[in-house]
Amino acid sequence: MNLVENKNLLDSVDARTRLAGSNKMEILLFSLGTREIFGINVFKVREVGRTPHITKTPNMPRGVEGLISLRGNVIPVLSLAPFLQLEGVPPGLGKTMMVAEYSKRTLGFLVHEVDRIIRVDWDRVKAPESVLSANHGLITAVIELEGGGLVSILDVEQILANAFGEALVVDILPAQVDPDTSVFFVDDSIVARRKISEVLDKLGVRHKHATNGMEAWTRLQAIAAHAQQIGSVLRDEIRLILVDAEMPEMDGYVLTKNIKADPRFEGVPVVMHSSLSSEANRAMGKAVGVDAYVAKFDAEALADTLRPLIER
């Protein structure tokens, strides 16, 4: 695939706001020199091109080949095949580089070849329980293609955490709330769930969580039904709902639409917490009615977003 084709693949990302609430996602497929097919959410990819000259740097984490200069910015480049410890990979560096963005950080991923973009329903995106490999923790979901074959969706958050360490949660002032205040959050990433829990603990609020959108909606409906049954105000049970944007089974956009369409959740704010930090993704969140949008993972920004909503 040449540079022009790569550019065409990623053009008009802002136009994809029409996907909001459609329970569909777009995946960029690529290979690492083996027969396995991998994928990454299109919104996380800024550009794709041939691998440039890489400056070797000592003492870099495993899999990080060095640094490149990209439009005045110096970014690390990670070779995915050795990082994932794949066997049977052709020698040499991947000939194609994907520039990915996560939580205001930019990183180059070296891959063997980029294939195409596919659009799939989120209910076809399954949690990777069936993945029996050493890379289980680096794969966030699995998709079965219509013509057969599986696509392993990489967990960019976990890859960054493994390569560079997890972001530190700094000192956060407690929120001015009563001790029974509870927040419900949903995220399919183990790293994100751990960090969100740390922030909520520092804010001094109780919390419950789910690991995908469908599980979250099932649990939220049960909580709402119980509150209705005992004559309780739901906002006393759940002060705020924090949703990830992209999750297996049901994405955060459809989950938010469901919550906003259910009168039992009136007065319960929904905050979208996502590694997809572009204006297009913010517009998608706004289109389905989120009350606030915060990019991963900035602990202070998350705390500052949640505090006024749970205190009011």
Side-chain angles (χ1 to χ4, degrees), residues 223-233 237:
I223 293 170
H226 180 259
Q228 196 171 40
Q229 184 178 21
I230 65 175
S232 173
V233 177
E237 303 289 327

Side-chain angles (χ1 to χ4, degrees), residues 31-87:
S31 70
L32 297 176
T34 65
R35 300 182 66 180
E36 189 171 359
I37 305 171
F38 293 90
I40 186 172
N41 188 309
V42 163
F43 280 118
K44 293 184 178 179
V45 183
R46 282 177 45 181
E47 59 185 276
V48 179
R50 292 202 172 278
T51 300
H53 172 73
I54 299 172
T55 301
K56 297 290 185 179
T57 308
N59 303 320
M60 295 297 280
R62 175 175 62 86
V64 178
E65 299 295 334
L67 304 172
I68 65 166
S69 177
L70 184 69
R71 296 180 185 82
N73 297 312
V74 176
I75 66 172
V77 176
L78 187 147
S79 187
L80 278 176
F83 188 82
L84 297 175
Q85 299 180 326
L86 297 182
E87 297 181 355

Side-chain angles (χ1 to χ4, degrees), residues 271-293:
V271 175
M272 184 162 282
H273 186 226
S274 175
S275 59
L276 310 177
S277 57
S278 73
E279 287 306 313
N281 298 110
R282 291 178 183 276
M284 289 171 72
K286 185 177 180 181
V288 295
V290 299
D291 296 278
Y293 189 105

Side-chain angles (χ1 to χ4, degrees), residues 206-283:
R206 300 167 65 186
H207 48 85
K208 305 171 183 176
H209 75 267
T211 60
N212 65 62
M214 186 63 74
E215 178 194 344
W217 183 229
T218 300
R219 293 191 62 189
L220 286 169
Q221 286 180 297
I223 293 170
H226 180 259
Q228 196 171 40
Q229 184 178 21
I230 65 175
S232 173
V233 177
L234 185 57
R235 184 165 161 77
D236 292 338
E237 303 289 327
I238 304 174
R239 187 64 58 87
L240 177 145
I241 301 170
L242 179 66
V243 304
D244 186 18
E246 50 165 4
M247 297 176 288
E249 312 290 342
M250 176 189 290
D251 69 17
Y253 302 107
V254 170
L255 175 59
T256 300
K257 281 183 66 176
N258 289 345
I259 294 168
K260 292 298 184 179
D262 191 326
R264 296 175 298 179
F265 291 92
E266 184 175 354
V268 179
V270 178
V271 175
M272 184 162 282
H273 186 226
S274 175
S275 59
L276 310 177
S277 57
S278 73
E279 287 306 313
N281 298 110
R282 291 178 183 276

Side-chain angles (χ1 to χ4, degrees), residues 35-202:
R35 300 182 66 180
E36 189 171 359
I37 305 171
F38 293 90
I40 186 172
N41 188 309
V42 163
F43 280 118
K44 293 184 178 179
V45 183
R46 282 177 45 181
E47 59 185 276
V48 179
R50 292 202 172 278
T51 300
H53 172 73
I54 299 172
T55 301
K56 297 290 185 179
T57 308
N59 303 320
M60 295 297 280
R62 175 175 62 86
V64 178
E65 299 295 334
L67 304 172
I68 65 166
S69 177
L70 184 69
R71 296 180 185 82
N73 297 312
V74 176
I75 66 172
V77 176
L78 187 147
S79 187
L80 278 176
F83 188 82
L84 297 175
Q85 299 180 326
L86 297 182
E87 297 181 355
V89 177
L93 297 178
K95 60 184 180 182
T96 302
M97 183 179 74
M98 302 187 305
V99 179
E101 187 175 46
Y102 166 74
S103 187
K104 301 179 182 179
R105 298 172 67 178
T106 304
L107 180 70
F109 285 134
L110 299 185
V111 303
H112 181 70
E113 187 176 36
V114 169
D115 185 5
R116 66 189 189 278
I117 289 174
I118 61 171
R119 181 176 292 184
V120 298
D121 294 328
W122 268 110
D123 57 12
R124 288 177 52 203
V125 182
K126 303 300 182 183
E129 284 87 359
S130 60
V131 178
L132 301 176
S133 74
N135 302 318
H136 186 162
L138 301 177
I139 295 171
T140 189
V142 175
I143 299 172
E144 184 174 359
L145 297 175
E146 290 183 356
L150 297 176
V151 177
S152 299
I153 308 300
L154 294 185
D155 188 336
V156 177
E157 295 165 71
Q158 189 66 61
I159 289 173
L160 280 171
N162 284 16
F164 302 103
E166 295 184 17
L168 296 176
V169 176
V170 296
D171 290 336
I172 292 171
L173 294 175
Q176 300 301 309
V177 293
D178 63 72
D180 292 329
T181 299
S182 180
V183 167
F184 187 96
F185 72 89
V186 52
D187 202 298
D188 64 316
S189 166
I190 296 174
V191 174
R193 291 198 300 271
R194 185 161 55 241
K195 291 302 176 184
I196 292 168
S197 294
E198 286 184 46
V199 170
L200 294 175
D201 287 342
K202 287 179 179 290

